[in-house]
Amino acid sequence: MASSLLTTPSQALALAPTGAAASRGGGGSARVFFPSSARAAQQRGGALGMRVRASVAIEKETPESEPPPTFLREDGSGAGSGSVRERFEAMIRRVQGEVCAALEEADGSGARFVEDVWSRPGGGGGISRVLQDGRVFEKAGVNVSVVYGVMPPDAYRAAKGEAGKNGAAADGHKAGPVPFFAAGISSVLHPKNPFAPTLHFNYRYFETDAPKDAPGAPRQWWFGGGTDLTPSYIVEEDVKHFHSVQKQACDKFDPSFYPRFKKWCDDYFYIKHRNERRGLGGIFFDDLNDYDQEMLLNFATECADSVVPAYIPIIERRKDTPFTEEHKAWQQLRRGRYVEFNLVYDRGTTFGLKTGGRIESILVSLPLTARWQYDHTPEEGTEEWKLLDACINPKEWLDL
Amino acid sequence: MASSLLTTPSQALALAPTGAAASRGGGGSARVFFPSSARAAQQRGGALGMRVRASVAIEKETPESEPPPTFLREDGSGAGSGSVRERFEAMIRRVQGEVCAALEEADGSGARFVEDVWSRPGGGGGISRVLQDGRVFEKAGVNVSVVYGVMPPDAYRAAKGEAGKNGAAADGHKAGPVPFFAAGISSVLHPKNPFAPTLHFNYRYFETDAPKDAPGAPRQWWFGGGTDLTPSYIVEEDVKHFHSVQKQACDKFDPSFYPRFKKWCDDYFYIKHRNERRGLGGIFFDDLNDYDQEMLLNFATECADSVVPAYIPIIERRKDTPFTEEHKAWQQLRRGRYVEFNLVYDRGTTFGLKTGGRIESILVSLPLTARWQYDHTPEEGTEEWKLLDACINPKEWLDL
């Protein structure tokens, strides 16, 4: 049991989920986030002079020999209740199994995912699966996790749109910490062949309980996630296929989703110091709660189920494409950009590193190998230049 | 000319030197820092509700065909004045030349440093030298730069120990931005052979002018820097030689320097999320101004002059040591740790990335190649384990 006293709002906010949560995978593999509205209010709070202190104790995880039927607490809100939590956990665990099976088959080498299972005495846990140095995949990680934690009251009130000054609620009542639940699936797949693109996807569900001292207060919930493609070379057929599968998934629910979440994706995976996107995008959304909850559960499920049809056909087409050392070196340079984005900007990674999440689960997103070459600029008109240009100037890949 | 409006204290502080300073090398190659007292006060300011807005215009650098005699402004405080600024610039430029010559000779392949020179219309500039893919060195960068910038008044007052609330000075007078001068040499040398260690060194000098609206106010100055060694394997003879040269340099000035700066180095190069140091340390100091200024100029000079005798004999001994693929893979994993430290924790790098410094100069510190392997733990008692153990539990290498 480690504990630390935190003195700044941003630290308290960043560390909150670790409370009863995660020294292993807590932020990194499940990628649990507070809504941006809460973060913004928290930042406003900082500027207004709010000062939050939180004592954070990190609960140590216990390795398990095999996955339990559920990581949910047996408290009525969890297992057997038919709740959104329960159905979301079941969905991400099903998808983890299906994606891993499809990847093993595509790898075709007999290489298998290695599984690490862990739980926490107070509830929650996770399953990390990693396939390393296969025939097709250099490194592939598919993680699920379930986290029970506690968030500072200000973040909760901000999520409800009633952020006040000095840590007091709108009615002047001093609120206590707010318990939350989060579950997610997170995956990064790095193939060996420079013409086979890297894929990342992550879907998560977040719920707050009512504050312990105000049992009747409203609960908050939201969904987040996305799927995005990072090739080293543009094969237009592949990029169009990938985006069209994302669009099909979105269009089943709302015609505004694909254009909105495509732009959100381009904006999120931005390497500011390079003025480049990490890759060619896909869809990304966060803090989504302004639609029917059942509809959004179905939408997240549809997106997660679209990973295999969006990605595996591309891998099948490109896994044996002949390549040169120069192609490989360029792939390695782009992998360096992947490392830069993940270590400097990615919310899940930076959050996980700060909160003492399980490092191996968090950094499984990094490629096996990467490269940094001084002042490398591809010549205009080359295939390398075309990729870079599309990362600097995001394109529309579909006729909308 | 790019400009942006900043709204948070930390952003304003982080970006200030960019003011009249750097889109190329401004933070990264010169590694200009505010004193930790100023940073702490700024953080307190944030918590207290201080809000600083600063409009920052980044002055574009101009490439030069060859290095000018000096990057100092011709304003009496610079060229020809015999000032500390002038002598410090002359020292780092001499050391850059000497270190590069020694490295080219050690490389022995005829590979030469490639030089990029740049200046700014308002004064200041820099010289980046990079040798890539030599016989001995995979990537070696040695940069000098001179920056004229403007810092927020709060940072200046904090440095003087009189941080106030709400951006007002102790006497209630609203102070203006404070011009500063900074110069530094910064270098990272990554050899190819896994038994030849990586070296980093960086020495910098910082001065504030009096605020423009209070010409009689006291000026501040300080020195910072250090030299540290990052091997993949411990060759005790080499590590002892390296530390003894650092100690000799320190002992010429103050017997307390080596133990103090050795510990500071172990504390600074700490990868918190791994609970490991980046390497086997050396010396590190910052914000040093509580000694005679001439003495500290001589001390920084002695340290910089110790780089060649501390490092080149080690390179000569290890550059041709036979090695296996396993040795190389372990070196690549340790290079991954180097990337993690530099992108997540290093003040010069993170500052440079945030302030729009010249990316290629900042990230020249990253190795040409690096590796991340899931859950790799060396077996106890192996040479890899011994290195890791020394990174987790810093050792005393000398009989003090």
Side-chain angles (χ1 to χ4, degrees):
Chain A
M1 293 287 264
S3 77
S4 62
L5 189 68
L6 307 165
T7 54
T8 70
S10 63
Q11 278 180 307
L13 184 66
L15 272 150
T18 319
S23 78
R24 177 165 179 161
S29 49
R31 303 205 172 188
V32 175
F33 304 124
F34 295 107
S36 55
S37 53
R39 284 193 305 278
Q42 195 70 16
Q43 282 157 11
R44 285 195 302 276
L48 288 165
M50 221 158 56
R51 200 157 170 164
V52 181
R53 285 177 187 271
S55 181
V56 172
I58 295 176
E59 199 182 49
K60 184 81 186 143
E61 75 278 0
T62 311
E64 300 280 351
S65 57
E66 60 184 76
T70 177
F71 290 108
L72 299 186
R73 287 177 184 162
E74 291 172 2
D75 62 357
S77 70
S81 63
S83 64
V84 175
R85 309 182 170 200
E86 184 182 48
R87 285 181 287 154
F88 194 84
E89 190 210 7
M91 183 275 279
I92 59 177
R93 290 182 60 172
R94 172 181 62 75
V95 169
Q96 183 187 37
E98 290 171 7
V99 168
C100 288
L103 293 169
E104 285 177 351
E105 197 188 325
D107 197 77
S109 62
R112 291 287 169 261
F113 277 86
V114 172
E115 184 175 87
D116 283 321
V117 185
W118 48 276
S119 68
R120 290 214 168 69
I127 305 169
S128 283
R129 287 194 193 149
V130 181
L131 186 155
Q132 205 164 255
D133 210 10
R135 191 178 74 82
V136 171
F137 290 100
E138 193 176 90
K139 200 169 166 190
V142 189
N143 300 339
V144 298
S145 68
V146 169
V147 176
Y148 289 89
V150 173
M151 68 198 286
D154 303 309
Y156 169 74
R157 283 200 318 282
K160 293 196 300 166
E162 41 166 291
K165 290 183 187 179
N166 304 318
D171 60 359
H173 173 70
K174 188 89 180 175
V178 180
F180 74 85
F181 163 91
I185 183 166
S186 176
S187 173
V188 178
L189 314 172
H190 292 293
K192 288 183 169 172
N193 194 296
F195 295 99
T198 289
L199 185 93
H200 161 254
F201 72 93
N202 164 233
Y203 291 95
R204 54 193 180 267
Y205 174 66
F206 196 105
E207 252 182 32
T208 62
D209 285 347
K212 281 183 178 163
D213 54 352
R219 296 174 170 209
Q220 303 294 319
W221 58 263
W222 59 91
F223 290 87
T227 304
D228 67 286
L229 197 71
T230 306
S232 301
Y233 289 95
I234 299 178
V235 184
E236 211 160 297
E237 175 193 1
D238 296 348
V239 185
K240 285 187 171 178
H241 165 77
F242 175 78
H243 274 272
S244 73
V245 174
Q246 305 312 312
K247 184 174 185 300
Q248 280 162 32
C250 288
D251 285 353
K252 287 186 189 171
F253 296 86
D254 193 311
S256 74
F257 276 5
Y258 174 75
R260 186 176 155 210
F261 299 156
K262 193 266 185 196
K263 181 174 186 310
W264 203 336
C265 191
D266 288 335
D267 291 345
Y268 178 76
F269 291 101
Y270 179 55
I271 306 172
K272 190 166 184 289
H273 60 264
R274 300 269 187 191
N275 185 30
E276 285 172 26
R277 277 88 207 149
R278 184 174 80 174
L280 301 185
I283 56 169
F284 182 87
F285 56 89
D286 206 356
D287 316 338
L288 213 61
N289 63 4
D290 47 353
Y291 293 86
D292 178 73
Q293 194 181 15
E294 288 292 324
M295 185 267 228
L296 289 179
L297 173 62
N298 291 336
F299 173 57
T301 303
E302 180 73 27
C303 290
D305 280 331
S306 297
V307 167
V308 168
Y311 187 54
I312 297 294
I314 299 175
I315 288 298
E316 291 295 350
R317 286 200 291 266
R318 307 302 158 208
K319 64 185 180 182
D320 296 318
T321 304
F323 61 89
T324 64
E325 266 183 42
E326 286 68 34
H327 294 136
K328 190 71 189 171
W330 173 248
Q331 178 202 52
Q332 293 294 296
L333 275 186
R334 298 307 305 172
R335 295 255 156 105
R337 301 290 206 273
Y338 213 92
V339 172
E340 288 177 30
F341 178 82
N342 284 26
L343 291 182
V344 179
Y345 301 104
D346 184 65
R347 283 165 65 188
T349 305
T350 55
F351 176 89
L353 295 184
K354 276 182 199 141
T355 54
R358 182 180 183 245
I359 293 309
E360 291 302 328
S361 293
I362 297 165
L363 296 186
V364 73
S365 67
L366 299 183
L368 191 63
T369 54
R371 184 178 173 92
W372 285 267
Q373 200 166 323
Y374 179 74
D375 221 8
H376 182 282
T377 315
E379 217 173 303
E380 200 169 323
T382 60
E383 292 304 310
E384 291 78 10
W385 178 87
K386 284 178 195 162
L387 184 277
L388 190 59
D389 180 57
C391 291
I392 294 170
N393 306 298
K395 301 195 184 328
E396 289 304 331
W397 296 99
L398 307 176
D399 301 318
L400 296 180
Chain B
M1 294 287 265
S3 77
S4 62
L5 189 68
L6 307 166
T7 54
T8 70
S10 62
Q11 278 180 305
L13 183 67
L15 272 150
T18 319
S23 80
R24 176 166 180 160
S29 50
R31 302 205 171 187
V32 176
F33 304 125
F34 294 107
S36 53
S37 54
R39 284 192 306 277
Q42 195 69 17
Q43 282 158 12
R44 284 195 302 276
L48 287 165
M50 224 157 55
R51 202 157 169 165
V52 181
R53 284 175 188 273
S55 182
V56 173
I58 296 176
E59 199 183 47
K60 185 79 185 144
E61 76 278 359
T62 312
E64 300 281 350
S65 57
E66 58 185 77
T70 178
F71 289 109
L72 300 186
R73 287 177 183 161
E74 290 172 1
D75 62 357
S77 70
S81 64
S83 64
V84 175
R85 307 182 171 199
E86 184 181 46
R87 286 182 287 155
F88 193 85
E89 189 210 6
M91 183 274 282
I92 59 178
R93 290 182 62 173
R94 172 181 61 76
V95 168
Q96 184 187 37
E98 291 172 6
V99 168
C100 288
L103 293 169
E104 285 178 351
E105 198 188 324
D107 197 77
S109 63
R112 292 286 169 260
F113 277 86
V114 172
E115 184 175 88
D116 283 321
V117 184
W118 48 276
S119 68
R120 289 212 169 71
I127 306 168
S128 284
R129 288 197 190 145
V130 181
L131 187 155
Q132 206 164 254
D133 211 9
R135 192 179 73 82
V136 172
F137 290 99
E138 192 175 89
K139 199 167 167 192
V142 189
N143 301 340
V144 298
S145 69
V146 168
V147 176
Y148 288 90
V150 173
M151 68 198 286
D154 304 309
Y156 169 75
R157 282 200 317 282
K160 293 197 300 165
E162 43 168 290
K165 289 182 187 179
N166 304 319
D171 61 359
H173 174 71
K174 190 89 178 172
V178 179
F180 73 85
F181 164 91
I185 183 165
S186 177
S187 173
V188 178
L189 313 172
H190 292 293
K192 289 182 167 171
N193 194 297
F195 295 100
T198 289
L199 185 93
H200 160 255
F201 72 93
N202 166 232
Y203 291 95
R204 52 193 181 267
Y205 174 67
F206 197 104
E207 255 181 31
T208 63
D209 285 346
K212 282 183 179 164
D213 54 352
R219 296 173 169 210
Q220 304 293 320
W221 57 264
W222 60 90
F223 290 88
T227 304
D228 66 285
L229 197 72
T230 305
S232 300
Y233 290 96
I234 300 177
V235 183
E236 212 161 296
E237 175 193 0
D238 295 349
V239 185
K240 286 188 171 179
H241 165 77
F242 174 78
H243 274 272
S244 73
V245 174
Q246 305 312 311
K247 183 173 185 299
Q248 280 161 32
C250 289
D251 285 354
K252 287 186 188 170
F253 295 85
D254 193 312
S256 75
F257 275 7
Y258 175 75
R260 188 177 153 208
F261 299 157
K262 193 266 182 195
K263 182 174 185 310
W264 203 336
C265 191
D266 288 335
D267 292 345
Y268 178 76
F269 292 101
Y270 180 55
I271 305 171
K272 190 168 184 291
H273 61 263
R274 299 270 187 190
N275 185 30
E276 284 172 27
R277 276 88 207 152
R278 185 175 79 173
L280 301 185
I283 56 170
F284 182 86
F285 56 89
D286 206 355
D287 314 339
L288 213 61
N289 62 5
D290 47 354
Y291 293 85
D292 178 72
Q293 195 181 15
E294 288 292 323
M295 185 268 228
L296 289 179
L297 173 62
N298 291 336
F299 173 57
T301 304
E302 180 73 27
C303 290
D305 280 332
S306 298
V307 167
V308 169
Y311 188 54
I312 297 295
I314 300 174
I315 288 298
E316 292 294 349
R317 285 200 290 267
R318 307 302 157 208
K319 65 184 181 183
D320 295 320
T321 303
F323 61 87
T324 66
E325 266 184 42
E326 286 69 34
H327 294 136
K328 190 71 188 171
W330 173 247
Q331 178 203 50
Q332 294 294 295
L333 275 187
R334 297 308 305 174
R335 296 253 157 105
R337 301 290 206 275
Y338 214 93
V339 172
E340 287 178 30
F341 178 83
N342 283 27
L343 290 182
V344 179
Y345 301 104
D346 185 66
R347 284 165 64 189
T349 306
T350 54
F351 177 90
L353 296 183
K354 277 182 199 143
T355 53
R358 184 183 181 240
I359 292 309
E360 291 301 330
S361 293
I362 297 166
L363 296 186
V364 73
S365 67
L366 299 183
L368 191 64
T369 54
R371 183 177 174 91
W372 285 269
Q373 200 166 324
Y374 179 72
D375 221 6
H376 181 282
T377 315
E379 217 172 302
E380 199 170 322
T382 60
E383 293 303 310
E384 290 79 10
W385 178 87
K386 283 178 195 163
L387 186 274
L388 190 58
D389 180 58
C391 291
I392 294 169
N393 306 297
K395 301 196 183 328
E396 291 302 332
W397 296 99
L398 306 176
D399 301 319
L400 296 179

